[in-house]
Amino acid sequence: MKDSTKVVSSILKKAEKEGRYFLLEPEVYGLLRARGLSVPRHIFLPKGKSLSAAGLKRLGTERVVVKIVSPLILHKSDVGGVAIVRASLKEVRAAVEKMYAEIPARYSRLFGQNKVSPEEVAASIRGVLVAELVGFEQVGLGSELLLGLRVSKDFGPVVTFGGGGLDVEYLNAHLKEGHSLAILPSEGLATRALLPVLEPLAVFGKIARDFRGRRAVVRPEVLVRAIEVFQKLAADFSPFNHKEEFTLEELEVNPLVIRRGNVIPLDGLCRFSRQKLEPADRPVEQIKRLLEPESIGIIGVSEKMNVGHIILNNIIQNGFPREKIFVVKPGLESIEGCRCFPDVAALPETVDLFILTLGADFVYPVMKDLVDLEKARSVIVIAGGLGEKAGTQSIEADIRSLLRERRRQGKLAPVINGGNCLGIISVPGKYDSTFIPGYKFQRPSGLQAGLAVISQSGAFMLSRMSNQDRFEPLYAISVGNQLDLTLGDYLNYLQGRPEVKIIAVYAEGLKPGDGWRFLEGARKAIRAGQKVLVYKSGRSPEGRKATASHTASVAGDYAVGKNLLSQAGVLVAETIDEFENYISGLILLAGKRISGNRVGLVSNAGFESVIMADNLKGEDGELVLPEFSADSVARILKVLQPLGIDRLQDVHNPLDVTPMADDATFCGCVRALLEDPNVDCAVVSCVPMTAALQTLPPGEGHRENIFAANSLADGLIKLFRTTGKPFVVNIDAGRLYDPLCRHLENNGLPVFRRCDQAVRFMRKLVSSGINKL
């Protein structure tokens, strides 16, 4: 493999010497052959050279393919640059002469846009490629495949595989996500994990599995091997690999065909560069000083109530000792009981955390003092507009240069959170550096469940915390522009920390290459038993534009991120509701064990049984409906018998207990379902309007009491506390039944208000690969 890497490098170096950073098709063949892939027999015929009869005979086919070779002409068929002729010198010569005569004017007319003359096109033609006409398996969809790699700006090299030929765009547009194209990382996915990603592809079943009486035309391991060749190429010539001088920016084979059980590339293109991504030099271990400081400095505090003063009050109110808070404020001895100092130089010590609340134009001078005088180990830059407003990008660049040089010299340089951020709330650090007054935001003070929230948007972070005030995050981190510290840095810091159980991330845009670091951190976190949840916005062109103006970040390819994160075991939320549902579900289902995807469904309404069954399958996974065991069927019939429901309904999955079921009957059926050995998880749904169930708190006009012993709520709470299987509850009704939902939630049950949402949550959770919650 080391020798093949040298061969690839020499091919790239030869092209570079000719002044181009792309390969001609014969060179692509040479690159692939160096890595062990079979390529068509071929001859490169330079312009002005003649083809010999012996050379033509060596191709070994009655018909041959003639292709124009030019650095200008990438889409050969569009200009008549591909011809299939008989393997005779006369016909090959005629095809070549026709191409040389007609292509220059045709290309200039179609693609030159009056800028490339026919003479320039003619001068660019290097010659022709004469290749055997490869006979390959004709199976309809799947006859032609695509295999490629490219460098994504945030996640680095990715490999793609799927249907190819002229139908690529059509397949991607009309097939469900995950069924047209597989997107794979260059590293980090074991060979055994490739097949589950390939299985859903529409083409895979046509070619690698027996299909309607026809034997498979290729073994799955042949496809896997070809993909692994591209993964290894992507890793060897990655922008992160500084051992090799080149980066493969794009390598695509389309079509890739199957001949006698082997894969053969017919057409290929390759672009490369010398661009490398510099390794991160940020001292991630200093994040501990940021999140758990023993001293805090702050600048921008006015005697009147301004952003800085609000932050100071929030820090004090969260228990941070006043004697370890130092305010840079000339002309005052103290403010809010904290000592003031005239400037950064006068600070009595190097603070663990410095909070900078001044406007964007004042950020660099303060940062320079902090760095040059070694007065801070970490900094939160609140300043809005930094990196967004015209002219402020240079301020960010100057700060990065300042930090880079300092770190290169091995001297103390602070890590920076922000700018354009809302701040950080740290329970272990006993501080709240957000600039929202306490009377406008009641910080969650409920269940501490090891939750860490990392959000590119501070408003998103606080909105989620306000909506889910039952859960108090250990850390709530608004990262803003990621001037220095990135989402990947925080994930790598938090992974493996025993106090952190769940890491929930809202991302708009990743810094170049940081998706790679983010994936590394996510894989480590998941191996350590932590749960990682991501909601990614900036998916549409409009959303990406808004992202650039919001946090000065570049939103990457959503499909790439979603696929790579999911393959790493990350839960990817598609909506805000789903993001919140996963946070509550992961917290409340802690300790439950997922042993499979066999789900038990129970409801007292027939429509819910139908809708829940409709949502068992999705792009994110699948639940299956097992048959109840004979013992469970007998138990359920016995439970239903006193009310005569056994005479109205058969017992099957989903189980419809009808509106006649009372509290004891409903809970008795749920118990039998949960204790069934064929059931791994459950969705318990209830339409609460029936008079048979106690679903209201005590009140006038009725005798119901959701708090009573042996009520529906009491029974479900007891079952939830005693079973090791995950189950969720759905209450599909309006505000009248909010007290019932709150009572169940306050006792730890995940509650949904739509049965389809409940099933989708369980489906995605079970399909995530998580074993224990």
Side-chain angles (χ1 to χ4, degrees):
M1 189 60 73
K2 187 177 291 186
D3 289 342
S4 72
T5 301
K6 288 182 179 179
V7 172
V8 173
S9 293
S10 67
I11 293 171
L12 302 178
K13 195 168 291 186
K14 181 175 179 291
E16 184 186 47
K17 284 182 178 179
E18 295 181 9
R20 55 187 166 88
Y21 285 90
F22 57 87
L23 298 184
L24 304 174
E25 194 159 15
E27 295 167 328
V28 175
Y29 280 170
L31 183 154
L32 297 174
R33 184 167 52 202
R35 284 302 173 111
L37 290 179
S38 299
V39 299
R41 293 185 292 260
H42 63 280
I43 298 169
F44 174 59
L45 195 63
K47 197 172 182 180
K49 296 288 185 180
S50 299
L51 179 65
S52 69
L56 189 60
K57 186 176 181 181
R58 281 197 297 272
L59 297 182
T61 53
E62 294 181 358
R63 296 167 72 80
V64 295
V65 182
V66 181
K67 300 181 186 181
I68 199 75
V69 177
S70 162
L72 277 181
I73 305 168
L74 299 180
H75 303 286
K76 306 177 191 68
S77 299
D78 294 342
V79 294
V82 178
I84 298 175
V85 299
R86 288 175 50 209
S88 76
L89 289 176
K90 181 179 179 181
E91 291 201 20
V92 170
R93 189 178 299 115
V96 172
E97 289 174 354
K98 184 179 181 183
M99 288 181 184
Y100 287 167
E102 297 179 358
I103 284 177
R106 187 176 297 157
Y107 180 91
S108 181
R109 185 174 66 253
L110 292 175
F111 301 106
Q113 299 175 333
N114 300 319
K115 294 180 180 179
V116 182
S117 68
E119 291 76 19
E120 289 173 312
V121 177
S124 78
I125 294 174
R126 303 296 178 86
V128 295
L129 182 76
V130 183
E132 64 170 312
L133 179 63
V134 176
F136 58 91
E137 300 288 349
Q138 300 290 337
V139 294
L141 177 67
S143 299
E144 296 184 340
L145 306 168
L146 178 148
L147 177 58
L149 70 84
R150 69 179 176 87
V151 173
S152 115
K153 55 184 166 291
D154 37 20
F155 286 95
V158 295
V159 173
T160 53
F161 174 81
L166 299 176
D167 297 329
V168 173
E169 288 81 7
Y170 181 86
L171 292 173
N172 287 341
H174 291 83
L175 287 179
K176 287 183 178 179
E177 185 180 337
H179 293 264
S180 63
L181 201 66
I183 302 174
L184 304 154
S186 59
E187 298 179 59
L189 195 66
T191 299
R192 64 180 180 278
L194 284 175
L195 277 180
V197 181
L198 300 180
E199 288 279 4
L201 296 179
V203 297
F204 187 82
K206 289 284 300 293
I207 60 176
R209 299 288 183 233
D210 295 347
F211 185 79
R212 293 188 176 179
R214 174 182 54 74
R215 301 287 292 176
V217 298
V218 65
R219 290 179 292 115
E221 52 267 33
V222 172
L223 298 178
V224 168
R225 179 183 169 274
I227 291 169
E228 288 178 332
V229 167
F230 270 59
Q231 286 181 308
K232 188 69 170 65
L233 272 168
D236 287 346
F237 295 91
S238 160
F240 304 108
N241 183 7
H242 290 254
K243 293 179 181 178
E244 294 297 330
E245 52 191 321
F246 295 109
T247 293
L248 286 180
E249 299 286 352
E250 182 180 17
L251 173 63
E252 182 181 286
V253 170
N254 183 21
L256 180 75
V257 299
I258 300 164
R259 178 176 68 180
R260 295 191 292 275
N262 197 12
V263 291
I264 306 289
L266 296 191
D267 293 311
L269 62 86
C270 177
R271 293 186 303 106
F272 65 98
S273 74
R274 283 184 173 270
Q275 294 180 2
K276 296 290 181 180
L277 288 170
E278 292 300 319
D281 62 350
R282 299 175 293 277
V284 172
E285 67 279 359
Q286 278 180 226
I287 292 177
K288 182 173 178 63
R289 303 283 192 155
L290 172 68
L291 297 181
E292 301 176 47
E294 295 183 4
S295 55
I296 294 177
I298 182 169
I299 191 170
V301 179
S302 171
E303 291 183 77
K304 295 180 180 180
M305 197 54 62
N306 69 340
V307 167
H309 204 139
I310 292 170
I311 291 173
L312 178 62
N313 284 345
N314 285 343
I315 293 170
I316 294 168
Q317 289 165 9
N318 279 268
F320 202 89
R322 281 180 167 88
E323 64 272 16
K324 296 300 288 182
I325 302 173
F326 311 125
V327 182
V328 176
K329 178 70 176 173
L332 286 181
E333 288 189 6
S334 68
I335 188 167
E336 299 290 356
C338 303
R339 285 184 292 165
C340 294
F341 300 86
D343 51 34
V344 168
L347 288 172
E349 61 182 72
T350 299
V351 295
D352 284 341
L353 169 60
F354 191 90
I355 301 169
L356 205 163
T357 73
L358 299 175
D361 293 339
F362 299 96
V363 170
Y364 182 78
V366 175
M367 280 301 310
K368 191 166 190 325
D369 282 347
L370 289 170
V371 172
D372 289 347
L373 301 172
E374 297 189 352
K375 287 294 186 179
R377 295 182 179 88
S378 68
V379 179
I380 296 175
V381 178
I382 301 292
L386 190 64
E388 303 167 3
K389 189 178 177 182
T392 63
Q393 291 85 356
S394 62
I395 298 173
E396 285 196 334
D398 289 344
I399 293 172
R400 289 193 185 99
S401 296
L402 184 68
L403 296 175
R404 190 181 304 116
E405 180 60 23
R406 191 83 180 177
R407 289 166 182 166
R408 189 187 65 79
Q409 295 172 358
K411 296 179 180 179
L412 175 65
V415 290
I416 301 176
N417 183 80
N420 187 33
C421 76
L422 195 63
I424 292 174
I425 300 173
S426 172
V427 172
K430 297 181 180 179
Y431 77 87
D432 174 357
S433 69
T434 66
F435 53 83
I436 306 301
Y439 62 85
K440 296 288 288 185
F441 175 69
Q442 186 174 359
R443 208 182 80 183
S445 58
L447 178 64
Q448 291 189 5
L451 172 65
V453 179
I454 312 169
S455 177
Q456 212 162 342
S457 162
F460 180 94
M461 177 182 82
L462 293 189
S463 294
R464 306 288 72 74
M465 292 170 68
S466 180
N467 287 342
Q468 297 187 293
D469 58 3
R470 293 175 297 135
F471 312 123
E472 181 179 15
L474 275 172
Y475 304 108
I477 304 164
S478 161
V479 302
N481 292 2
Q482 305 174 86
L483 184 161
D484 186 39
L485 290 174
T486 64
L487 293 170
D489 290 334
Y490 279 111
L491 191 54
N492 276 279
Y493 174 79
L494 294 172
Q495 63 83 18
R497 296 191 171 270
E499 73 276 13
V500 178
K501 309 297 182 188
I502 301 164
I503 304 171
V505 180
Y506 169 69
E508 292 178 353
L510 293 159
K511 290 297 180 182
D514 194 51
W516 178 272
R517 283 179 51 74
F518 191 92
L519 277 175
E520 280 187 325
R523 293 188 186 108
K524 291 175 183 175
I526 289 162
R527 285 198 295 269
Q530 295 165 301
K531 315 301 181 296
V532 182
L533 168 65
V534 171
Y535 176 56
K536 173 74 172 67
S537 64
R539 311 176 194 180
S540 66
E542 296 80 6
R544 287 191 285 274
K545 185 177 179 181
T547 289
S549 65
H550 178 208
T551 53
S553 297
V554 179
D557 187 329
Y558 178 71
V560 170
K562 180 182 176 182
N563 278 269
L564 299 187
L565 290 168
S566 297
Q567 290 162 21
V570 173
L571 284 165
V572 180
E574 297 291 338
T575 65
I576 294 175
D577 277 346
E578 198 170 71
F579 186 77
E580 291 184 354
N581 288 338
Y582 277 116
I583 288 176
S584 60
L586 290 171
I587 291 171
L588 298 176
L589 290 173
K592 307 294 184 188
R593 181 167 292 280
I594 298 175
S595 53
N597 67 339
R598 300 171 301 171
V599 65
L601 305 176
V602 59
S603 175
N604 62 346
F607 86 90
E608 287 195 330
S609 298
V610 175
I611 290 174
M612 288 194 291
D614 280 344
N615 283 275
L616 293 172
K617 293 183 181 180
E619 295 171 7
D620 47 29
E622 178 181 0
L623 294 169
V624 297
L625 287 176
E627 291 187 5
F628 296 139
S629 69
D631 287 346
S632 296
V633 171
R635 284 181 63 185
I636 292 170
L637 285 171
K638 187 175 181 180
V639 171
L640 297 174
Q641 189 174 15
L643 296 176
I645 303 174
D646 62 315
R647 298 192 297 274
L648 303 176
Q649 292 287 98
D650 292 329
V651 175
H652 52 71
N653 194 11
L655 178 62
D656 180 2
V657 298
T658 81
M660 294 171 57
D662 59 15
D663 302 89
T665 302
F666 195 103
C667 292
C669 289
V670 174
R671 177 182 293 277
L673 180 149
L674 288 171
E675 293 177 356
D676 190 307
N678 296 338
V679 171
D680 301 312
C681 56
V683 177
V684 177
S685 194
C686 169
V687 176
M689 293 80 163
T690 173
L693 294 173
Q694 296 189 76
T695 54
L696 294 173
E700 294 183 8
H702 65 83
R703 296 182 177 180
E704 294 186 19
N705 184 0
I706 57 175
F707 308 109
N710 301 319
S711 66
L712 171 71
D714 181 64
L716 292 178
I717 291 166
K718 288 176 179 174
L719 287 171
F720 189 81
R721 290 174 177 171
T722 56
T723 184
K725 297 179 181 180
F727 79 86
V728 298
V729 175
N730 177 65
I731 306 295
D732 190 355
R735 288 179 295 172
L736 184 62
Y737 298 94
D738 286 353
L740 170 63
C741 296
R742 281 197 299 271
H743 180 49
L744 292 170
E745 289 175 335
N746 289 339
N747 281 276
L749 278 75
V751 177
F752 291 80
R753 303 304 288 267
R754 296 287 185 273
C755 63
D756 56 338
Q757 287 183 348
V759 174
R760 285 200 298 269
F761 166 81
M762 188 60 72
R763 182 184 75 209
K764 202 162 187 174
L765 184 68
V766 165
S767 303
S768 68
I770 297 172
N771 295 318
K772 187 172 181 181
L773 295 159

